[in-house]
Amino acid sequence: MRSAIVAKLGALVPDAGKIEIWDRLISQLGDGEFVKREEASLLLMIQGPALKGRLLAARSSVDPEISRRADEISQSLPFRQQEAWLESAVAWLAETPDNFLQNWLIAYLPWVEQTAPSHTSRWLVQRLLECSTKLNDWEWVNQINSGSAPLLRLAASQSPLGLPETQIAGGIRTEVAQERDARVRFEQAKRKFPSRTAEVVRELAQLLLVLPEGEAMAAEEMLQRIGGPNANGRVLLGGPEGKLNREPCSKAWLGWLEKPGVLESWKTLSPDQNSSAIAATDRTLVVEFDGPRGGRIQELDKNWKPLWSMEGLAGPNDVQFLPGGNLLIAERTGCRVTERTPSGQVCWEHTLVVGPISAVRTPFGTTVIATFHEVIEIDSVGREIRKHTHSSGFREVKGTPEGNLRCVTGDGNIQLLDPSWKLLEIFKPERHGQGAAYWGSVCSLGPDRLLVSLGGTGKIVEINRQGKIIWEASVPAAVHSQRLANGNTLVCSFDGRALVEIDGNGKEVGKLALEGRPFMALKR
């Protein structure tokens, strides 16, 4: 059977047209949509070793995303050949619907879901849904929609296409069409969310009535980013018979919107208070990874006396203040990311197999989590949306006010990803970059300046976006730094268990000994 299918696939791409199609797919690696970039990567991976020369040339592309993906694909080609025939079959099926081939592939989908990456299985299901629509074969789609194939339903629900809205047998037709329409509206609301307008709040509140349960909870979470967890006095969970409190919650948020000044007060909050390296107040937030009281987050006054503290944390590595007052904490030794109230109560948690080093709540209500090996984005119920990797791993990931992501890799490179995770730029300090193997972090000093801490070399460097060093200083095990309003720099000395303030000449002018090892200190 396999040989017959492979022979049938031989007509997929005429020999004379291969180069043109390869070039089109390589260009698609830099597309503005994440899904199209992923699709191009998958289709290029199945082309075989003959493509390698084309990919090597693409590695020098001026588009950093094309260059990065071409390099990854060229390295992975030898390992992709075993699955190539299956993915080729699905690609062929998308162009030429065929009942026999479709049914054969559906039978093998459980194997794909167990052996292939999650984005691959979602891509395969998406193609099969398209084919089912073309063949007017609704039995399999109905199985997905009814939940009789739960793994495939999950993959389909995470597909950008959602489920088909064309006619479906029985009473499922209206439900699926409405569900798809609501998902499209939700995606549009996500894109508009950073504008923080009444229109966005109103749309999210109305979507609480019609979105599937997981997406409805994500929409509520986005609303809570605006008004705080207790803004309207109602929550979705806890309705009668385990159902969601859809109508009361929607009405409460619409009522909250009518209160005078609520949106204006929220707009005064920084989109990411961690992204600024210029101190605005005399209060200092300190994150201690360990110590006699366990991991600790505390805030100090201008005399470095404690104002409050949160103790007993499992290796806090990173913290982000959220609108509404909660804290998002990456607890590395606890292998979890928690959202906590100021009193320390956990109101959301996501566990991992390995320890997280950074956590970022995005303007869209999703959460980005970095480990030493990868960066993932998850929704409010913990489902993985996408993944980003680098051969040297990661040391830090932060959000920017523009909605981008800034990553520090283990070899000292600084990557900037747009909201669709397309690589916009990549550069590294002209010297000392190897220090990021121990630890590396970045704070922004404006549109063209960055303050980079490189723990392994004990260096703090101010660089431009070409990597040129404009200023540098030395502090042992410098894992984090911040430029202060007086021109000095506040540095976390991890192994030194201290906060160190240095002047423009790199001279120490102040020092605070700590019980634990500090990963972060921010004046805010």
Side-chain angles (χ1 to χ4, degrees):
M1 182 180 291
R2 172 178 173 178
S3 60
I5 291 175
V6 173
K8 195 172 185 179
L9 295 174
L12 173 61
V13 182
D15 290 341
K18 278 188 177 180
I19 293 179
E20 179 183 352
I21 291 177
W22 289 349
D23 288 345
R24 175 172 56 80
L25 289 173
I26 288 172
S27 296
Q28 190 176 326
L29 293 175
D31 192 272
E33 295 185 23
F34 177 79
V35 172
K36 290 185 178 179
R37 296 197 300 273
E38 287 287 280
E39 181 179 60
S41 291
L42 288 167
L43 289 172
L44 286 168
M45 283 179 182
I46 65 177
Q47 298 301 314
L51 177 64
K52 190 126 187 175
R54 225 62 187 174
L55 289 171
L56 292 176
R59 289 166 59 182
S60 60
S61 170
V62 295
D63 186 323
E65 180 72 11
I66 293 177
S67 176
R68 179 184 73 84
R69 285 180 177 264
D71 182 60
E72 289 181 351
I73 296 167
S74 64
Q75 294 183 44
S76 64
L77 275 176
F79 306 99
R80 296 287 300 177
Q81 298 311 303
Q82 292 183 3
E83 297 114 51
W85 59 274
L86 179 61
E87 293 177 0
S88 295
V90 177
W92 184 88
L93 186 64
E95 298 297 326
T96 310
D98 179 276
N99 286 99
F100 169 77
L101 188 54
Q102 178 205 19
N103 292 333
W104 184 85
L105 286 167
I106 288 171
Y108 273 80
L109 269 169
W111 173 81
V112 175
E113 290 187 328
Q114 293 177 11
T115 61
S118 59
H119 65 273
T120 303
S121 60
R122 290 198 298 270
W123 179 78
L124 295 173
V125 170
Q126 176 183 327
R127 289 293 174 270
L128 287 167
L129 283 169
E130 291 175 347
C131 179
S132 297
T133 304
K134 292 176 182 177
L135 292 171
N136 291 318
D137 178 5
W138 301 109
E139 180 179 353
W140 184 65
V141 177
N142 289 345
Q143 288 178 9
I144 295 177
N145 189 58
S146 65
S148 59
L151 291 177
L152 302 185
R153 177 175 170 80
L154 173 62
S157 70
Q158 294 179 344
S159 164
L161 295 182
L163 294 171
E165 64 176 316
T166 48
Q167 90 182 78
I168 297 177
I172 297 175
R173 173 184 177 181
T174 302
E175 177 187 347
V176 175
Q178 288 178 345
E179 185 175 295
R180 175 180 166 86
D181 178 65
R183 282 179 168 146
V184 170
R185 288 167 55 199
F186 188 38
E187 290 301 316
Q188 293 171 343
K190 286 180 183 179
R191 288 193 288 269
K192 296 178 182 177
F193 187 78
S195 66
R196 312 172 186 181
T197 63
E199 175 193 358
V200 172
V201 177
R202 189 172 292 109
E203 176 71 349
L204 288 171
Q206 293 170 348
L207 283 169
L208 294 178
L209 298 170
V210 292
L211 280 171
E213 182 172 321
E215 284 86 346
M217 294 178 68
E220 180 189 38
E221 188 172 349
M222 292 170 68
L223 287 166
Q224 289 174 345
R225 300 293 156 258
I226 297 176
N230 303 310
N232 70 355
R234 291 276 188 174
V235 293
L236 273 174
L237 293 176
E241 299 179 0
K243 296 182 179 179
L244 299 182
N245 284 313
R246 291 181 180 271
E247 188 171 348
C249 192
S250 176
K251 286 182 177 179
W253 278 111
L254 291 172
W256 173 84
L257 185 60
E258 301 305 318
K259 295 179 182 179
V262 291
L263 288 179
E264 286 72 15
S265 64
W266 184 63
K267 287 182 180 181
T268 62
L269 294 172
S270 168
D272 181 355
Q273 296 183 41
N274 294 339
S275 66
S276 173
I278 305 299
T281 73
D282 287 327
R283 304 175 72 164
T284 306
L285 181 77
V286 183
V287 179
E288 295 175 75
F289 182 73
D290 52 15
R293 312 181 203 204
R296 178 171 65 170
I297 298 174
Q298 59 176 330
E299 191 162 36
L300 312 177
D301 66 14
K302 64 180 180 180
N303 297 313
W304 285 358
K305 300 297 183 183
L307 295 170
W308 59 266
S309 68
M310 189 183 297
E311 300 176 352
L313 300 171
N317 212 110
D318 184 31
V319 63
Q320 177 189 0
F321 274 91
L322 302 175
N326 287 352
L327 293 85
L328 187 69
I329 307 169
E331 300 183 52
R332 187 175 7 139
T333 58
C335 295
R336 65 184 181 182
V337 174
T338 56
E339 180 180 340
R340 296 175 182 260
T341 64
S343 64
Q345 180 181 356
V346 176
C347 53
W348 179 86
E349 180 175 349
H350 181 75
T351 58
L352 302 101
V353 177
V354 296
I357 58 173
S358 293
V360 178
R361 183 64 51 75
T362 74
F364 311 110
T366 59
T367 303
V368 174
I369 301 172
T371 69
F372 282 118
H373 308 292
E374 63 186 14
V375 181
I376 63 171
E377 183 177 12
I378 61 172
D379 63 15
S380 60
V381 295
R383 293 178 301 194
E384 184 179 311
I385 300 170
R386 50 190 162 187
K387 181 184 296 184
H388 177 60
T389 59
H390 187 272
S391 57
S392 298
F394 298 94
R395 297 300 177 267
E396 181 189 68
V397 174
K398 293 291 185 187
T400 73
E402 299 79 23
N404 298 325
L405 284 179
R406 188 173 54 236
C407 310
V408 181
T409 65
D411 58 359
N413 276 296
I414 299 166
Q415 300 179 327
L416 187 67
L417 309 179
D418 74 5
S420 74
W421 288 27
K422 178 179 178 180
L423 184 62
L424 297 177
E425 61 181 357
I426 181 169
F427 55 92
K428 67 187 300 184
E430 58 183 336
R431 299 187 300 278
H432 314 307
Q434 70 275 18
Y438 175 84
W439 199 260
S441 66
V442 174
C443 280
S444 173
L445 295 176
D448 193 46
R449 297 289 178 88
L450 297 170
L451 192 65
V452 184
S453 303
L454 299 159
T457 49
K459 292 290 185 180
I460 307 100
V461 296
E462 181 180 336
I463 64 173
N464 63 18
R465 300 188 95 86
Q466 289 72 50
K468 181 176 176 58
I469 295 178
I470 299 158
W471 173 88
E472 67 178 273
S474 298
V475 172
V479 295
H480 187 273
S481 57
Q482 180 188 32
R483 183 63 46 79
L484 305 179
N486 62 5
N488 291 345
T489 302
L490 183 64
V491 184
C492 289
S493 175
F494 188 69
D495 292 334
R497 297 177 182 262
L499 303 184
V500 180
E501 184 175 341
I502 58 176
D503 63 18
N505 297 315
K507 180 181 178 182
E508 182 181 308
V509 296
K511 186 174 184 177
L512 174 67
L514 298 167
E515 293 180 353
R517 294 178 292 177
F519 250 121
M520 178 190 297
L522 287 170
K523 279 192 176 290
R524 64 185 194 94

